[in-house]
């Protein structure tokens, strides 16, 4: 596969430095073999997340200088409101400082203890916000979406029958809203089809339920619809996005992904009464409704980023860029999740390192090896992140999937950076039997992957 051509040129550069091997060994040891504890300056290529790590365009940076920092009614809010109306079709918008703040406000206002909230797969922060109020987050993705090797064009789809069953079992009065995560991050960045959005929306309408979209990667999803779904090849991304959201009552957005800003988020919706209710909590927790936890300049960068991301040449490059890395890794015989998602490549660590059992964290062993070998930071999405002790038996339960995610920041790394990452993978492949498992020496009570400390097992 040829490397895709970047549809931009580089105007500002940020130096990155590769520490030598001895220093990398020292750094990872001092970090307790936890890459979240590494200082970013010790990293050469950072694929920890695509969230808030993108490069803004000259147009976005120029917009930052037009920030109106008035407490109430700043012009950038009106620009963002108009942009959201034009792209998503929603009349009401509430800015938040990032995605999880939008989730907190939405679920605290709409849901209560004992409620049920179905989604294809809830992202971690969504699930945590739902569980925090005592409600239950239910994943209803199609069965194909749970098999890492199966090829399916829309593995992020929700199973309509699973949704109907949830409604029948728990009662529509206990379901404040149905959610759809596009693209489906926890399922490998897989898209949801237009047909599926439409079908889920029809089920919601039939039961008078509200449908909300977790739209962090809405443009990547729209591009997959254009590529893979019949009838959309000749439509613009703008038209596809408009149609996607026409089936929903609202959405929440972490603008740190497809809106290509370093911080920001929002809720957008149709219903004016619900907007009023959400606004009360927004004022309490985030700020006045025309800035909601952001500076005027940040609002402007979001408004401009939402337009930038609709450019088809950008999206074509974006999806090909991710696929370029995925194909290089896959051709080297390293097992990856298929088909290739929008924002990241996921490696199947259980299959790649069969000599390390899940109790010794094979995903984390590979994560450590990537840093040691080449100064690359990736993230484990496996037993370190998700294994839980059964409260009754005291036995550890390990997740089905043991993945390592290589998330690609937008407009930041060139194809030669990606080739360097793939070369590091090849070197690790050739000595994979020598990779060691790990044991925990410090473990916090929840979200342990962020602060846990480990040691290597000889
Ligand atoms: C990602 C993140 C960011 C992250 C979050 C938690 C731990 C590590 C990294 C954030 C998402 C997301 C979706 C679909 C809502 C949020 C929260 N993803 N929905 O993938 O992917 O947004 O980070 O702005 O609060 O690395 P927020």
């Amino acid at each position: 596969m040829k490397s895709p051509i970047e549809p931009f040129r580089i105007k500002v550069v940020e130096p990155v430095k590769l520490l030598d091997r001895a220093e990398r060994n020292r750094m990872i040891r001092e970090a307790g073999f936890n890459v979240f504890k590494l200082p970013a300056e010790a990293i050469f290529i950072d694929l920890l997340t695509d969230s808030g790590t993108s490069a803004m365009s000259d147009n976005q940076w120029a917009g930052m200088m037009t920030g109106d920092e008035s407490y109430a009614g700043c012009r950038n809010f009106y620009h963002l409101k108009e942009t959201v109306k034009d792209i998503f079709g929603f009349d009401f918008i509430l800015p938040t400082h990032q995605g999880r703040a939008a989730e907190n406000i939405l679920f605290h206002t709409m849901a209560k203890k004992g409620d049920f909230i179905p989604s294809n797969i809830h992202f971690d922060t969504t699930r945590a916000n739902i569980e925090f109020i005592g409600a239950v987050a239910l994943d209803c993705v199609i069965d194909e979406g749970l098999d890492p090797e199966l090829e399916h064009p829309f593995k992020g789809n929700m199973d309509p029958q699973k949704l109907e069953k949830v409604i029948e079992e728990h009662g529509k009065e206990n379901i404040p809203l149905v959610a759809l995560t596009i693209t489906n991050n926890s399922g490998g960045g897989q898209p949801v089809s237009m047909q599926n959005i439409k079908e889920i929306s029809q089920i919601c309408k039939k039961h008078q339920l509200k449908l909300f979209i977790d739209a962090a990667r809405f443009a990547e999803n729209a591009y997959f619809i254009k590529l893979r779904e019949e009838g959309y090849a000749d439509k613009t991304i703008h038209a596809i996005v408009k149609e996607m959201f026409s089936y929903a009552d609202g959405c929440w957005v972490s603008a740190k992904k497809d809106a290509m800003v370093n911080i920001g988020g929002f809720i957008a919706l149709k219903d004016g009464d619900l907007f009023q209710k959400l606004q009360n909590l927004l004022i309490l927790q985030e700020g006045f409704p025309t800035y909601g936890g952001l500076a005027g300049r940040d609002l402007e960068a979001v408004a401009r980023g939402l337009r930038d991301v609709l450019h088809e040449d950008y999206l074509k490059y974006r999806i090909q860029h991710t696929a370029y890395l995925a194909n290089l890794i896959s051709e080297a015989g390293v097992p990856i999740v298929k088909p290739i998602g929008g924002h990241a490549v996921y490696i199947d660590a259980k299959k790649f390192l069969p000599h390390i059992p899940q109790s010794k964290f094979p995903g984390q062993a590979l994560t450590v090896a990537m840093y040691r070998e080449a100064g690359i930071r990736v993230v484990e999405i496996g037993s370190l992140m998700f294994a839980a002790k059964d409260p009754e038996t005291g036995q550890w339960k390990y997740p089905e999937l043991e993945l390592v995610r290589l998330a690609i920041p937008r407009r930041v790394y060139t194809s030669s950076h990606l080739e360097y990452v793939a070369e590091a993978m090849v070197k690790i492949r050739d000595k994979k039997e020598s990779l060691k498992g790990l044991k925990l020496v410090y473990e916090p009570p929840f979200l342990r992957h962020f602060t846990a400390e480990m040691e290597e097992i000889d």
Side-chain angles (χ1 to χ4, degrees):
M1 186 186 176
K2 243 180 82 213
S3 104
I5 183 92
E6 287 84 2
F8 49 80
R9 52 187 176 169
I10 297 163
K11 183 142 52 183
V12 177
V13 295
E14 180 184 3
V16 286
K17 191 170 161 243
L18 178 62
L19 300 182
D20 66 32
R21 193 174 284 269
E23 277 179 295
R24 297 200 296 273
N25 271 329
R26 184 175 58 81
M27 294 304 289
I28 194 72
R29 224 169 255 289
E30 279 177 16
F33 296 95
N34 184 345
V35 290
F36 282 98
K37 293 194 162 187
L38 286 172
E41 286 192 334
I43 289 152
F44 187 49
I45 293 185
D46 200 349
L47 307 181
L48 183 71
T49 177
D50 65 321
S51 177
T53 53
S54 296
M56 293 208 295
S57 64
D58 53 354
N59 182 41
Q60 282 176 294
W61 278 110
M64 296 283 278
M65 285 307 291
T66 71
D68 167 358
E69 306 306 343
S70 308
Y71 188 92
C74 72
R75 70 174 158 258
N76 317 99
F77 169 76
Y78 296 106
H79 182 207
L80 177 59
K81 186 174 149 81
E82 269 164 40
T83 308
V84 167
K85 170 76 184 168
D86 178 43
I87 296 175
F88 299 88
F90 296 125
D91 285 317
F92 300 100
I93 174 171
L94 301 108
T96 60
H97 80 273
Q98 64 181 81
R100 69 198 72 181
E103 290 165 352
N104 170 42
I105 286 162
L106 199 63
F107 294 119
H108 264 87
T109 305
M110 294 182 73
K112 58 179 189 320
K113 196 170 174 202
D115 278 350
F116 294 85
I117 298 159
S119 182
N120 42 357
I121 302 186
H122 291 277
F123 182 65
D124 320 19
T125 56
T126 321
R127 174 173 286 278
N129 268 298
I130 291 169
E131 290 174 353
F132 190 68
I133 56 171
V136 182
L138 297 170
D139 293 337
C140 301
V141 73
I142 54 170
D143 289 341
E144 291 89 333
L146 297 170
D147 180 346
E149 302 197 29
L150 200 101
E151 291 271 1
H152 181 291
F154 293 102
K155 262 172 117 172
N157 282 357
M158 186 187 271
D159 186 330
Q161 280 167 355
K162 287 187 191 170
L163 176 62
E164 287 278 19
K165 199 160 159 246
V166 165
I167 300 169
E168 200 184 302
E169 252 172 47
H170 301 294
K172 66 177 184 188
E173 61 287 359
N174 299 314
I175 302 175
L177 65 99
V178 173
L180 258 184
T181 316
I182 65 168
T183 57
N184 187 26
N185 189 7
S186 308
Q190 302 292 332
V192 177
S193 71
M194 192 72 87
Q195 179 58 34
N196 190 246
I197 301 176
K198 212 191 286 185
E199 201 173 341
I200 297 304
S201 159
Q202 280 161 356
I203 296 174
C204 290
K205 287 210 171 76
K206 188 172 81 186
H207 297 282
Q208 293 105 38
L209 291 172
K210 284 197 188 298
L211 175 62
F212 270 75
I213 295 179
D214 175 353
R217 300 177 180 87
F218 72 98
E220 290 172 8
N221 198 93
Y223 188 69
F224 280 122
I225 289 177
K226 186 174 171 104
L227 284 186
R228 298 180 184 170
E229 196 162 351
E230 213 187 311
Y232 292 93
D234 297 326
K235 295 223 159 90
T236 64
I237 299 299
H238 193 150
I240 295 172
V241 170
K242 200 64 169 275
E243 184 183 340
M244 280 160 60
F245 289 87
S246 71
Y247 303 119
D249 296 283
C251 67
W252 75 90
V253 177
S254 165
K256 297 171 73 172
K257 284 83 174 175
D258 271 354
M260 294 195 273
V261 292
N262 304 119
I263 194 75
F266 59 88
I267 301 170
L269 71 167
K270 280 182 186 155
D271 177 351
D273 292 335
L274 178 58
F275 167 74
Q276 288 292 348
K277 284 189 206 146
L278 293 167
Q279 196 167 252
N280 296 331
L281 205 54
L282 185 83
I283 294 171
L284 186 70
Q285 295 187 339
E286 289 284 285
F288 191 73
T290 60
Y291 74 84
L294 294 170
R297 55 180 173 271
D298 297 329
L299 297 169
E300 187 61 32
V302 175
R304 293 183 184 213
L306 289 171
R307 292 244 182 250
D308 270 13
V309 79
L310 299 179
H311 289 155
E312 214 176 302
D313 55 351
Y314 160 75
L315 284 169
K316 182 177 175 198
Y317 146 80
R318 168 69 174 162
I319 300 304
Q320 287 184 357
H321 194 55
T322 305
Y324 183 59
L325 176 62
N327 287 326
L328 290 177
I329 291 176
S330 182
E331 279 159 19
V334 178
I336 60 165
V337 174
K338 290 196 178 137
I340 301 153
H343 67 293
V345 181
Y346 295 74
I347 295 172
D348 186 344
K350 202 154 66 170
K351 206 167 164 197
F352 186 54
L353 301 174
H355 66 289
I356 305 178
Q358 272 188 296
S359 58
K360 293 180 184 163
F361 308 115
Q364 190 62 16
L366 179 56
T367 301
V368 168
M370 292 287 277
Y371 180 70
R372 271 208 174 122
E373 186 59 43
I376 299 162
R377 176 156 68 174
V378 297
V379 71
E380 189 255 22
I381 305 186
S383 42
L384 179 63
M385 199 177 265
F386 294 127
K389 230 181 212 160
D390 186 310
E392 276 160 29
T393 62
Q395 294 280 316
W396 281 100
K397 261 187 75 189
Y398 294 100
E400 187 62 29
L401 298 177
E402 181 79 23
L403 305 178
V404 169
R405 184 180 80 169
L406 285 62
I408 307 178
R410 295 164 184 77
R411 305 188 291 209
V412 170
Y413 294 116
T414 63
S415 295
S416 77
H417 285 118
L418 300 188
E419 284 156 15
Y420 173 85
V421 174
E423 280 160 23
M425 278 308 309
V426 169
K427 285 186 197 147
I428 292 169
R429 178 203 65 195
D430 292 343
K431 58 178 175 193
K432 70 188 180 106
E433 281 77 21
S434 69
L435 264 55
K436 293 177 187 162
L438 297 145
K439 65 170 188 229
L440 282 160
V441 290
Y442 165 70
E443 171 180 14
F446 51 85
L447 293 174
R448 67 176 178 179
H449 53 287
F450 287 123
T451 53
E453 286 175 23
M454 284 151 280
E455 268 173 12
E456 280 184 313
I457 305 169
D458 279 319

